[in-house]
Amino acid sequence: GYLLSQFVRLQANARALRRTNADLQREMGERQQAVAALRASEERFRAITESANDAIISADSAGTIISWNAKAEAIFGYPAEEILGTLLTRLMPARYHATYGQHFTHWSATGSSRLVGTAVEGTGLRKDGSEFPLEVSLSTWSAADGTYVTGIVRDLTAQKQLQETTRQQRLQLIQANKMTALGTLVSGVAHEINNPNQAVLMSARVLAGAW
């Protein structure tokens, strides 16, 4: 009876061990699947951001840049290895730093900002020190390690130049219309003046003949 009870106990332990191993294998498989899914998601996100027509820039709650795509490099002139880990203030003229600091501090403390979810026009600063007009759309997101902000930035240089060209052409057209109207007016006045002059000349000829 003792040997039988020991045998039964060993069989139960073996079954429990098999179940434990199966559970561990299943858990490991699930973790591997989760890691693979996360890696695939990151690769898709990277592919989307790198092929985007706008700059996509992310920063943490301290304002440190953590994500930088190819279009951001093209617009601002900084390669990723040079800009990652630096502050967002590097991308804007110094005269905007105080206002930016106020907005960012409020967002970091409260998690909300009136600028989030809207497209805001501003001025960017390139690596070469030149300024340019831009439009940025902000969004925030949270992860296990903190809160982050992402900006989609569009360079408005070409658009502003086109608007200025259109404005200049409109002004030129208005000026040309004014000159045309003035010419028509002068021509009409000259015509009105010439009619009495013609009558005077004709009368003078008649009087000269009669004399």
Side-chain angles (χ1 to χ4, degrees):
Y2 173 77
L3 292 177
L4 180 61
S5 63
Q6 291 296 318
F7 178 73
V8 171
R9 187 172 63 82
L10 289 174
Q11 284 185 325
N13 290 339
R15 287 195 296 270
L17 183 60
R18 285 195 296 271
R19 285 197 298 270
T20 301
N21 289 336
D23 291 340
L24 287 174
Q25 291 177 354
R26 183 172 61 254
E27 184 178 349
M28 290 178 60
E30 291 174 352
R31 289 184 178 181
Q32 290 175 350
Q33 290 177 355
V35 170
L38 178 61
R39 185 177 296 112
S41 177
E42 290 176 345
E43 290 176 353
R44 285 194 297 270
F45 176 76
R46 187 177 298 109
I48 292 172
T49 56
E50 289 303 314
S51 62
N53 291 325
D54 298 323
I56 302 178
I57 306 167
S58 295
D60 61 17
S61 57
T64 302
I65 299 171
I66 62 168
S67 178
W68 185 262
N69 71 340
K71 191 63 177 181
E73 178 178 344
I75 292 177
F76 289 94
Y78 291 101
E81 59 271 17
E82 184 177 348
I83 198 69
L84 290 176
T86 64
L87 296 177
L88 284 170
T89 49
R90 196 171 183 180
L91 307 178
M92 63 188 72
R95 63 183 180 275
Y96 296 117
H97 288 187
T99 303
Y100 155 81
Q102 293 173 0
H103 285 296
F104 207 88
T105 300
H106 177 76
W107 169 74
S108 299
T110 65
S112 64
S113 172
R114 63 180 179 84
L115 300 180
V116 173
T118 61
V120 181
E121 290 193 9
T123 302
L125 182 66
R126 304 187 201 274
K127 182 181 179 180
D128 62 8
S130 61
E131 298 183 6
F132 68 99
L134 59 78
E135 180 186 80
V136 57
S137 299
L138 298 175
S139 61
T140 59
W141 48 282
S142 298
D145 56 347
T147 305
Y148 301 87
V149 61
T150 295
I152 299 178
V153 180
R154 177 168 298 176
D155 186 350
L156 298 181
T157 301
Q159 179 180 330
K160 295 297 184 181
Q161 289 176 346
L162 179 59
Q163 290 177 353
E164 178 61 21
T165 299
T166 302
R167 189 182 71 85
Q168 292 292 340
Q169 291 175 345
R170 186 180 297 112
L171 290 175
Q172 292 174 1
L173 180 60
I174 292 173
Q175 187 65 23
N177 289 338
K178 287 181 178 179
M179 295 302 295
T180 301
L182 180 60
T184 302
L185 176 61
V186 171
S187 176
V189 171
H191 177 72
E192 294 299 327
I193 293 175
N194 283 334
N195 283 338
N197 286 345
Q198 291 294 331
V200 171
L201 290 174
M202 291 179 63
S203 300
R205 293 193 189 99
V206 171
L207 290 174
W211 181 262

PDB file of all heavy atoms in Angstrom, residues 136-150:
ATOM      1  N   VAL A 136       1.797  73.626 -37.649  1.00  0.00           N
ATOM      2  CA  VAL A 136       1.993  72.431 -36.833  1.00  0.00           C
ATOM      3  C   VAL A 136       0.669  71.996 -36.216  1.00  0.00           C
ATOM      4  O   VAL A 136      -0.106  72.819 -35.729  1.00  0.00           O
ATOM      5  CB  VAL A 136       3.053  72.686 -35.729  1.00  0.00           C
ATOM      6  CG1 VAL A 136       2.661  73.862 -34.848  1.00  0.00           C
ATOM      7  CG2 VAL A 136       3.267  71.432 -34.895  1.00  0.00           C
ATOM      8  N   SER A 137       0.412  70.688 -36.279  1.00  0.00           N
ATOM      9  CA  SER A 137      -0.763  70.087 -35.638  1.00  0.00           C
ATOM     10  C   SER A 137      -0.260  69.208 -34.509  1.00  0.00           C
ATOM     11  O   SER A 137       0.552  68.301 -34.738  1.00  0.00           O
ATOM     12  CB  SER A 137      -1.565  69.259 -36.647  1.00  0.00           C
ATOM     13  OG  SER A 137      -2.030  70.076 -37.706  1.00  0.00           O
ATOM     14  N   LEU A 138      -0.729  69.458 -33.293  1.00  0.00           N
ATOM     15  CA  LEU A 138      -0.228  68.766 -32.106  1.00  0.00           C
ATOM     16  C   LEU A 138      -1.221  67.725 -31.603  1.00  0.00           C
ATOM     17  O   LEU A 138      -2.430  67.922 -31.668  1.00  0.00           O
ATOM     18  CB  LEU A 138       0.056  69.770 -30.985  1.00  0.00           C
ATOM     19  CG  LEU A 138       1.129  70.827 -31.260  1.00  0.00           C
ATOM     20  CD1 LEU A 138       1.194  71.820 -30.109  1.00  0.00           C
ATOM     21  CD2 LEU A 138       2.490  70.170 -31.476  1.00  0.00           C
ATOM     22  N   SER A 139      -0.682  66.622 -31.087  1.00  0.00           N
ATOM     23  CA  SER A 139      -1.493  65.608 -30.419  1.00  0.00           C
ATOM     24  C   SER A 139      -0.674  65.045 -29.265  1.00  0.00           C
ATOM     25  O   SER A 139       0.556  65.096 -29.283  1.00  0.00           O
ATOM     26  CB  SER A 139      -1.882  64.480 -31.382  1.00  0.00           C
ATOM     27  OG  SER A 139      -0.720  63.830 -31.882  1.00  0.00           O
ATOM     28  N   THR A 140      -1.355  64.547 -28.247  1.00  0.00           N
ATOM     29  CA  THR A 140      -0.662  63.974 -27.091  1.00  0.00           C
ATOM     30  C   THR A 140      -1.049  62.515 -26.941  1.00  0.00           C
ATOM     31  O   THR A 140      -2.129  62.091 -27.376  1.00  0.00           O
ATOM     32  CB  THR A 140      -1.017  64.732 -25.800  1.00  0.00           C
ATOM     33  OG1 THR A 140      -2.435  64.671 -25.579  1.00  0.00           O
ATOM     34  CG2 THR A 140      -0.597  66.190 -25.910  1.00  0.00           C
ATOM     35  N   TRP A 141      -0.178  61.746 -26.325  1.00  0.00           N
ATOM     36  CA  TRP A 141      -0.434  60.334 -26.080  1.00  0.00           C
ATOM     37  C   TRP A 141       0.336  59.886 -24.848  1.00  0.00           C
ATOM     38  O   TRP A 141       1.286  60.537 -24.429  1.00  0.00           O
ATOM     39  CB  TRP A 141      -0.058  59.485 -27.292  1.00  0.00           C
ATOM     40  CG  TRP A 141       1.304  59.774 -27.866  1.00  0.00           C
ATOM     41  CD1 TRP A 141       1.654  60.818 -28.672  1.00  0.00           C
ATOM     42  CD2 TRP A 141       2.507  59.018 -27.656  1.00  0.00           C
ATOM     43  NE1 TRP A 141       2.995  60.775 -28.984  1.00  0.00           N
ATOM     44  CE2 TRP A 141       3.543  59.672 -28.390  1.00  0.00           C
ATOM     45  CE3 TRP A 141       2.809  57.857 -26.942  1.00  0.00           C
ATOM     46  CZ2 TRP A 141       4.849  59.197 -28.414  1.00  0.00           C
ATOM     47  CZ3 TRP A 141       4.118  57.377 -26.983  1.00  0.00           C
ATOM     48  CH2 TRP A 141       5.108  58.033 -27.708  1.00  0.00           C
ATOM     49  N   SER A 142      -0.127  58.808 -24.249  1.00  0.00           N
ATOM     50  CA  SER A 142       0.473  58.325 -23.010  1.00  0.00           C
ATOM     51  C   SER A 142       0.961  56.893 -23.173  1.00  0.00           C
ATOM     52  O   SER A 142       0.388  56.101 -23.931  1.00  0.00           O
ATOM     53  CB  SER A 142      -0.548  58.392 -21.859  1.00  0.00           C
ATOM     54  OG  SER A 142      -0.950  59.726 -21.626  1.00  0.00           O
ATOM     55  N   ALA A 143       2.026  56.577 -22.473  1.00  0.00           N
ATOM     56  CA  ALA A 143       2.576  55.227 -22.411  1.00  0.00           C
ATOM     57  C   ALA A 143       2.850  54.909 -20.953  1.00  0.00           C
ATOM     58  O   ALA A 143       2.623  55.731 -20.062  1.00  0.00           O
ATOM     59  CB  ALA A 143       3.850  55.136 -23.247  1.00  0.00           C
ATOM     60  N   ALA A 144       3.339  53.693 -20.709  1.00  0.00           N
ATOM     61  CA  ALA A 144       3.585  53.276 -19.332  1.00  0.00           C
ATOM     62  C   ALA A 144       4.618  54.150 -18.643  1.00  0.00           C
ATOM     63  O   ALA A 144       4.592  54.315 -17.422  1.00  0.00           O
ATOM     64  CB  ALA A 144       4.030  51.814 -19.309  1.00  0.00           C
ATOM     65  N   ASP A 145       5.533  54.730 -19.442  1.00  0.00           N
ATOM     66  CA  ASP A 145       6.620  55.511 -18.844  1.00  0.00           C
ATOM     67  C   ASP A 145       6.403  57.016 -18.903  1.00  0.00           C
ATOM     68  O   ASP A 145       7.298  57.783 -18.564  1.00  0.00           O
ATOM     69  CB  ASP A 145       7.948  55.168 -19.527  1.00  0.00           C
ATOM     70  CG  ASP A 145       7.886  55.373 -21.032  1.00  0.00           C
ATOM     71  OD1 ASP A 145       6.772  55.544 -21.571  1.00  0.00           O
ATOM     72  OD2 ASP A 145       8.948  55.377 -21.669  1.00  0.00           O
ATOM     73  N   GLY A 146       5.217  57.466 -19.333  1.00  0.00           N
ATOM     74  CA  GLY A 146       4.986  58.905 -19.310  1.00  0.00           C
ATOM     75  C   GLY A 146       4.065  59.391 -20.407  1.00  0.00           C
ATOM     76  O   GLY A 146       3.445  58.611 -21.132  1.00  0.00           O
ATOM     77  N   THR A 147       3.995  60.717 -20.530  1.00  0.00           N
ATOM     78  CA  THR A 147       3.135  61.380 -21.513  1.00  0.00           C
ATOM     79  C   THR A 147       4.008  62.048 -22.567  1.00  0.00           C
ATOM     80  O   THR A 147       5.064  62.598 -22.258  1.00  0.00           O
ATOM     81  CB  THR A 147       2.244  62.438 -20.832  1.00  0.00           C
ATOM     82  OG1 THR A 147       1.507  61.806 -19.782  1.00  0.00           O
ATOM     83  CG2 THR A 147       1.276  63.053 -21.829  1.00  0.00           C
ATOM     84  N   TYR A 148       3.528  62.026 -23.802  1.00  0.00           N
ATOM     85  CA  TYR A 148       4.319  62.523 -24.923  1.00  0.00           C
ATOM     86  C   TYR A 148       3.463  63.415 -25.813  1.00  0.00           C
ATOM     87  O   TYR A 148       2.228  63.357 -25.783  1.00  0.00           O
ATOM     88  CB  TYR A 148       4.885  61.363 -25.737  1.00  0.00           C
ATOM     89  CG  TYR A 148       5.774  60.446 -24.933  1.00  0.00           C
ATOM     90  CD1 TYR A 148       5.233  59.382 -24.205  1.00  0.00           C
ATOM     91  CD2 TYR A 148       7.148  60.654 -24.879  1.00  0.00           C
ATOM     92  CE1 TYR A 148       6.043  58.546 -23.450  1.00  0.00           C
ATOM     93  CE2 TYR A 148       7.970  59.822 -24.130  1.00  0.00           C
ATOM     94  CZ  TYR A 148       7.409  58.772 -23.420  1.00  0.00           C
ATOM     95  OH  TYR A 148       8.220  57.964 -22.670  1.00  0.00           O
ATOM     96  N   VAL A 149       4.130  64.225 -26.617  1.00  0.00           N
ATOM     97  CA  VAL A 149       3.456  65.079 -27.587  1.00  0.00           C
ATOM     98  C   VAL A 149       4.082  64.849 -28.959  1.00  0.00           C
ATOM     99  O   VAL A 149       5.300  64.664 -29.079  1.00  0.00           O
ATOM    100  CB  VAL A 149       3.566  66.572 -27.186  1.00  0.00           C
ATOM    101  CG1 VAL A 149       5.024  67.022 -27.123  1.00  0.00           C
ATOM    102  CG2 VAL A 149       2.775  67.446 -28.149  1.00  0.00           C
ATOM    103  N   THR A 150       3.240  64.816 -29.970  1.00  0.00           N
ATOM    104  CA  THR A 150       3.697  64.639 -31.351  1.00  0.00           C
ATOM    105  C   THR A 150       3.185  65.795 -32.196  1.00  0.00           C
ATOM    106  O   THR A 150       2.016  66.158 -32.113  1.00  0.00           O
ATOM    107  CB  THR A 150       3.196  63.303 -31.935  1.00  0.00           C
ATOM    108  OG1 THR A 150       3.796  62.231 -31.217  1.00  0.00           O
ATOM    109  CG2 THR A 150       3.591  63.180 -33.408  1.00  0.00           C
TER     110      THR A 150
END
